[in-house]
Amino acid sequence: MKILMFGRGVIATMYGWALERAGHDVEFYVRPGRAATYGEAIDLDLLDARRRVWGQPVVQKWPVRYREELEPDHNFDLIVLSVPHYRVAEAVAFLAPRVGTATVLVFSNIWAEPLAAIGALPVDQVAWGFPQAGGGFGEDGVLRGALLPPVVFGTFGRPPTERERAVRQAFREAGFRLREQPDFRGWLWIHFVSDAGLHSQGLRLGSLAKLAGATGDLREALLASRELLPLLEARGVDLRRHRGGVLPFRAPTWLTAHALAWLLAHFAPARVNFAAHCDPEAAEPREICRDTLAEARRLGVAVPRLEAAEPIFARAGTS
């Protein structure tokens, strides 16, 4: 399969590497002028947990190919769109007249109505998924992070199409375990408010990395996410369909916080993932908190812990 990773972010790079190793032809689309800045290879320092529970270290210089133009008559089979949620509209507007015959895998956080979020992209050419990996580029340019076995795919109450099945097969052949979510809209929004709860406390400490060993702050993060569950219901999410997804927020938070702290201390892939989120100036955590709070205010849902964190995440604008 000929695959274009849209952008050179953390997720695009990690999954582009995994897909290429599975035999696919992978390129990256980057903004004009970026290819020369990035150079011909990406330095990787990853923990790959697809086949080993505790992860296989990957330290290498990975040669990559970039393109700075995308014509509608390209021959890509798959375009993987993984950008911060507040960049989705911009990316979709760029891709819509250039999608050609490719399938577009939306592989991003989404807080808007999903079908509205894809704008003018042809609905029958769109597949939906979500990564289970994380990390960050350090000041030295090295990408550090962890690649976990599952990848989440979803639909909106119907079976996957032939295009969607082909995308799933590509990830399956790359060694990933597929998890299906028939109510992907609800799943995406539960994940979003979970991020908002974590980031509301991570920003207070300086970064998500500092949250890893702080059991009391993890409990506050869980409580912040619990306060956001009524917001999901106000948006029409049937939480009964996602009992497993919301269980960490409804269970006794002292127990869940200690379990999460233990996981981050002893399970290397989770620890590496959190440790890589160490940039106190990162825009995405602030934007997630900002947009969640704005929606809560629009719908009149009380979210006191997120409200209390507003002075911290409101300091900087979108970068």
Side-chain angles (χ1 to χ4, degrees):
M1 186 177 282
K2 189 172 176 60
I3 301 175
L4 181 68
M5 311 303 292
F6 190 85
R8 182 189 172 270
V10 170
I11 297 301
T13 301
M14 295 174 74
Y15 283 92
W17 171 79
L19 289 164
E20 185 181 88
R21 284 178 60 87
H24 298 285
D25 183 2
V26 174
E27 294 184 38
F28 290 82
Y29 171 79
V30 295
R31 295 177 187 271
R34 293 287 178 87
T37 303
Y38 289 144
E40 297 179 353
I42 301 175
D43 289 312
L44 302 177
D45 184 357
L46 307 177
L47 202 57
D48 181 2
R50 285 175 295 165
R51 294 175 178 86
R52 295 186 183 180
V53 173
W54 299 104
Q56 173 69 39
V58 175
V59 180
Q60 69 174 81
K61 189 178 288 288
W62 177 39
V64 295
R65 289 174 294 149
Y66 299 112
R67 62 167 53 217
E68 297 180 343
E69 295 181 358
L70 185 63
E71 300 299 329
D73 60 351
H74 62 76
N75 62 346
F76 287 103
D77 303 299
L78 174 64
I79 299 173
V80 178
L81 175 60
S82 180
V83 296
H85 78 280
Y86 57 90
R87 300 288 193 204
V88 169
E90 175 188 1
V92 162
F94 175 86
L95 281 176
R98 298 172 174 87
V99 66
T101 61
T103 300
V104 178
L105 172 61
V106 179
F107 213 45
S108 301
N109 243 338
I110 300 289
W111 188 228
E113 285 288 346
L115 295 182
I118 63 172
L121 286 176
V123 176
D124 61 350
Q125 289 180 232
V126 174
W128 296 88
F130 201 87
Q132 300 289 281
F137 285 95
E139 293 183 0
D140 56 1
V142 177
L143 173 56
R144 297 178 176 88
L147 194 63
L148 300 178
V151 175
V152 180
F153 286 96
T155 57
F156 306 105
R158 54 160 178 75
T161 64
E162 183 176 345
R163 282 180 179 269
E164 291 171 310
R165 289 195 295 270
V167 175
R168 285 158 169 75
Q169 184 61 23
F171 278 78
R172 186 181 291 111
E173 291 172 352
F176 293 102
R177 301 174 196 164
L178 276 53
R179 293 181 179 171
E180 290 288 343
Q181 290 290 337
D183 176 24
F184 201 52
R185 171 181 177 267
W187 188 92
L188 283 168
W189 289 354
I190 290 169
H191 185 276
F192 199 92
V193 301
S194 174
D195 279 355
L198 284 170
H199 288 312
S200 70
Q201 301 306 309
L203 287 167
R204 184 174 56 81
L205 296 177
S207 70
L208 200 61
K210 294 182 179 179
L211 190 60
T215 305
D217 296 298
L218 284 169
R219 181 174 182 273
E220 283 298 307
L222 291 165
L223 289 170
S225 295
R226 178 187 290 178
E227 290 177 351
L228 292 166
L229 296 182
L231 173 59
L232 296 174
E233 292 178 312
R235 297 187 98 198
V237 177
D238 183 355
L239 297 181
R240 294 171 299 180
R241 300 184 66 183
H242 300 276
R243 289 186 174 91
V246 300
L247 180 61
F249 314 123
R250 286 183 163 166
T253 52
W254 64 269
L255 179 61
T256 310
H258 277 86
L260 184 54
W262 185 93
L263 183 71
L264 293 171
H266 296 92
F267 183 52
R271 184 174 66 249
V272 168
N273 188 339
F274 257 63
H277 291 82
C278 57
D279 181 6
E281 302 303 321
E284 189 169 13
R286 300 175 189 277
E287 295 303 318
I288 287 173
C289 291
R290 238 192 298 254
D291 288 349
T292 305
L293 180 57
E295 182 71 350
R297 286 173 171 164
R298 185 183 75 83
L299 294 175
V301 177
V303 288
R305 282 180 170 80
L306 196 57
E307 289 269 7
E310 184 182 18
I312 300 167
F313 61 72
R315 283 186 221 161
T318 305
S319 63

